[in-house]
Amino acid sequence: MKLVRKDIEKDNAGQVTLVPEEPEDMWHTYNLVQVGDSLRASTIRKVQTESSTGSVGSNRVRTTLTLCVEAIDFDSQACQLRVKGTNIQENEYVKMGAYHTIELEPNRQFTLAKKQWDSVVLERIEQACDPAWSADVAAVVMQEGLAHICLVTPSMTLTRAKVEVNIPRKRKGNCSQHDRALERFYEQVVQAIQRHIHFDVVKCVLVASPGFVREQFCDYMFQQAVKTDNKLLLENRSKFLQVHASSGHKYSLKEALCDPTIASRLSDTKAAGEVKALDDFYKMLQHEPDRAFYGLKQVEKANEAMAIDTLLISDELFRHQDVATRSRYVRLVDSVKENAGTVRIFSSLHVSGEQLSQLTGVAAILRFPVPELSDQEDDSSSEED
C-alpha cells in the first residue's frame, strides 16, 4: 500500500489518499472503510445519451465520484472490494443522491474521509504502508567479506544493509590476519542484523551462503550472544534457517527462496505468531483458568485490574456497524497498550482468527490470576441456570 497524502486534524477528523498495490491491500482497505465514511475514487458509470435526432443510446464513461458509504462487500477469493453508497458531490454524469457501486482497483488511488480516525485504523494504515511491517521474512546473503541484509515482502526484496570487509588470504603458517578480519566481518553483520531486523515482526531469518560460511557465522553469532547474554538473539535463535546460495550478492537470494523445502517452511509465517498466541491461551485455559479470560465483559474487567499481558482480538470486531461498540474495542486495545500489554490483532481470514471468533473474538492471557472474576463468572452462569 502506498500513502499519497494524509490530512488528519487535531480532533481526528480528516482524510487519507492511498494506492492499493497488492491483493492483500484490498483486505487492509476493507478493514479501513466503514459505513458513514466518504470515499472518492475513479469508477465506470453507464450513462444514457440522447442524440439530436432523439435516439437514445448508452455508453460507459470513466469518472471520479465521492460516495457516502452505505455497504461494503469483500470477495476474499478474488480479493475484490466493492463499496456502495450515494453520490455526495456534483458530477456531470451522476446526480446528487444517486446510488453507485465503486469497485476499487489495484494501482488506482482513492481518498477516504472520516469524522473520527481511531488508533486501530491509523495503525493498520501505518503497517500496510511500511514494508518493514509486511516483511515477515528476513535474509542474510553472505560470502567471506560480503553480506546483504534484506527484508522479503510478498512483492519485493528490500536491501537494508550491505557489509563489506577486506579479508586477507590465508598464508602458509600464519592465519591470524585472515581470522581477525573474518571475526570483524562477522561482528559487523551481527550488528546489522540487530539494527535492521524487527524480531517482533519477522518470523524467519534465512542465512544463505556458499560453502560453510553460514555455519561458521551462525556458530560465531550465538557463541557471542551467550558470552554477552544477548537475549534478543538467544530468544529468536529458532527463527534462523541456514540455506545454500551461490554467492553473497542479493540476486542469490532467489535461489534460496525457490528451494521447495524452504518455500514450505516459509509459507504462512505471517500467522505463526498469532497461532502460537492462541495456543498459549488454550494451554493457560487448561492449566491456569484464572489467567485466561474470553468475552468482552470479562476481558474489560481484567483490564481494569491491569492484569492483561496479551490481548487476542479479531479484526472482525473493528468492522462492527455500531460506532459505540467499535469504539469500545478500540478503547480496550489502547488501554492494554498503555498498561504495557501486548496486543495481537488476528485476521478473520486465517484459521487462527476463525478459532478466536468462536471464543467471541476477544480473549486475554493475564499476568497474574484474578480468581474473583472467575467466581463472578461462575455465579452469573449459575444464576442463569
Side-chain angles (χ1 to χ4, degrees):
M1 187 92 84
K2 183 180 176 185
L3 179 64
V4 178
R5 189 166 178 175
K6 183 177 175 183
D7 297 312
I8 296 176
E9 304 296 330
K10 287 181 180 177
D11 61 354
N12 285 336
Q15 62 184 35
V16 294
T17 301
L18 299 161
V19 179
E21 296 173 316
E22 298 294 320
E24 192 177 341
D25 291 340
M26 291 302 178
W27 172 246
H28 288 304
T29 306
Y30 174 55
N31 285 282
L32 297 176
V33 181
Q34 292 160 350
V35 173
D37 294 349
S38 79
L39 178 75
R40 181 175 176 80
S42 175
T43 185
I44 302 289
R45 178 79 174 186
K46 191 176 181 180
V47 295
Q48 286 192 331
T49 54
E50 190 173 336
S51 68
S52 55
T53 58
S55 61
V56 177
S58 66
N59 61 333
R60 292 157 66 84
V61 295
R62 182 169 284 281
T63 185
T64 301
L65 292 179
T66 306
L67 303 183
C68 177
V69 178
E70 291 191 10
I72 308 137
D73 176 50
F74 180 71
D75 181 347
S76 59
Q77 298 303 312
C79 279
Q80 290 179 330
L81 181 63
R82 296 179 188 87
V83 180
K84 182 184 176 184
T86 52
N87 183 34
I88 55 171
Q89 208 167 76
E90 289 288 346
N91 185 280
E92 62 176 305
Y93 301 112
V94 186
K95 294 177 183 176
M96 291 278 286
Y99 277 93
H100 184 78
T101 300
I102 292 177
E103 183 173 319
L104 291 178
E105 302 169 59
N107 301 309
R108 280 194 184 272
Q109 73 176 40
F110 66 88
T111 300
L112 181 66
K114 290 176 181 283
K115 293 175 183 174
Q116 179 76 28
W117 288 87
D118 60 53
S119 61
V120 172
V121 173
L122 291 172
E123 189 176 335
R124 185 174 276 272
I125 290 175
E126 186 183 325
Q127 291 181 9
C129 295
D130 183 358
W133 280 101
S134 61
D136 50 7
V137 176
V140 182
V141 195
M142 64 194 307
Q143 64 189 49
E144 283 197 358
L146 174 67
H148 288 84
I149 287 80
C150 308
L151 296 177
V152 184
T153 74
S155 57
M156 56 187 158
T157 302
L158 302 165
T159 303
R160 281 297 162 101
K162 181 181 178 182
V163 179
E164 274 188 291
V165 172
N166 184 33
I167 310 286
R169 288 186 178 183
K170 288 184 179 179
R171 299 197 178 197
K172 202 170 182 181
N174 182 12
C175 299
S176 60
Q177 277 190 313
H178 172 273
D179 292 346
R180 278 202 302 272
L182 199 58
E183 191 170 313
R184 193 166 70 250
F185 168 62
Y186 287 162
E187 181 55 37
Q188 288 183 27
V189 176
V190 171
Q191 288 175 6
I193 287 172
Q194 293 180 98
R195 193 178 306 120
H196 296 286
I197 295 176
H198 303 293
F199 284 100
D200 52 343
V201 178
V202 168
K203 307 295 190 296
C204 182
V205 183
L206 299 179
V207 183
S209 79
F212 296 102
V213 177
R214 56 187 180 274
E215 287 95 335
Q216 291 166 359
F217 167 70
C218 286
D219 288 346
Y220 170 84
M221 177 168 59
F222 292 116
Q223 282 169 11
Q224 291 299 311
V226 171
K227 281 183 189 175
T228 58
D229 193 26
N230 188 324
K231 289 181 181 175
L232 180 71
L233 290 175
L234 293 174
E235 286 173 3
N236 291 285
R237 186 170 188 162
S238 61
K239 293 181 180 179
F240 286 82
L241 184 64
Q242 296 180 29
V243 294
H244 172 76
S246 58
S247 76
H249 294 278
K250 182 182 167 183
Y251 64 80
S252 298
L253 179 60
K254 191 178 178 184
E255 302 163 20
L257 293 173
C258 290
D259 186 321
T261 55
I262 302 304
S264 63
R265 174 78 186 265
L266 296 182
S267 65
D268 229 15
T269 50
K270 195 167 188 181
E274 282 69 26
V275 171
K276 186 181 181 302
L278 194 61
D279 188 46
D280 290 346
F281 173 80
Y282 279 123
K283 284 178 183 172
M284 193 69 77
L285 192 63
Q286 189 176 359
H287 300 295
E288 291 186 70
D290 286 349
R291 287 182 58 198
F293 284 11
Y294 62 91
L296 182 57
K297 283 186 180 178
Q298 292 299 311
V299 170
E300 281 180 329
K301 285 176 182 173
N303 184 51
E304 286 169 16
M306 294 199 295
I308 295 178
D309 182 48
T310 306
L311 177 70
L312 291 62
I313 189 164
S314 170
D315 60 11
E316 199 173 24
L317 301 176
F318 301 112
R319 297 195 297 272
H320 203 287
Q321 297 296 327
D322 181 46
V323 176
T325 306
R326 194 165 65 233
S327 300
R328 194 172 165 187
Y329 290 119
V330 172
R331 283 197 303 273
L332 175 63
V333 167
D334 290 344
S335 179
V336 169
K337 286 180 179 176
E338 282 170 15
N339 295 329
T342 302
V343 176
R344 289 198 173 274
I345 298 177
F346 284 60
S347 169
S348 54
L349 281 188
H350 193 268
V351 63
S352 59
E354 290 173 8
Q355 285 181 305
L356 184 61
S357 294
Q358 291 169 5
L359 292 171
T360 71
V362 59
I365 300 170
L366 309 190
R367 296 187 176 104
F368 49 83
V370 189
E372 60 269 23
L373 290 187
S374 295
D375 295 341
Q376 287 175 22
E377 192 174 16
D378 294 339
D379 293 343
S380 60
S381 59
S382 60
E383 283 172 18
E384 285 170 12
D385 295 341

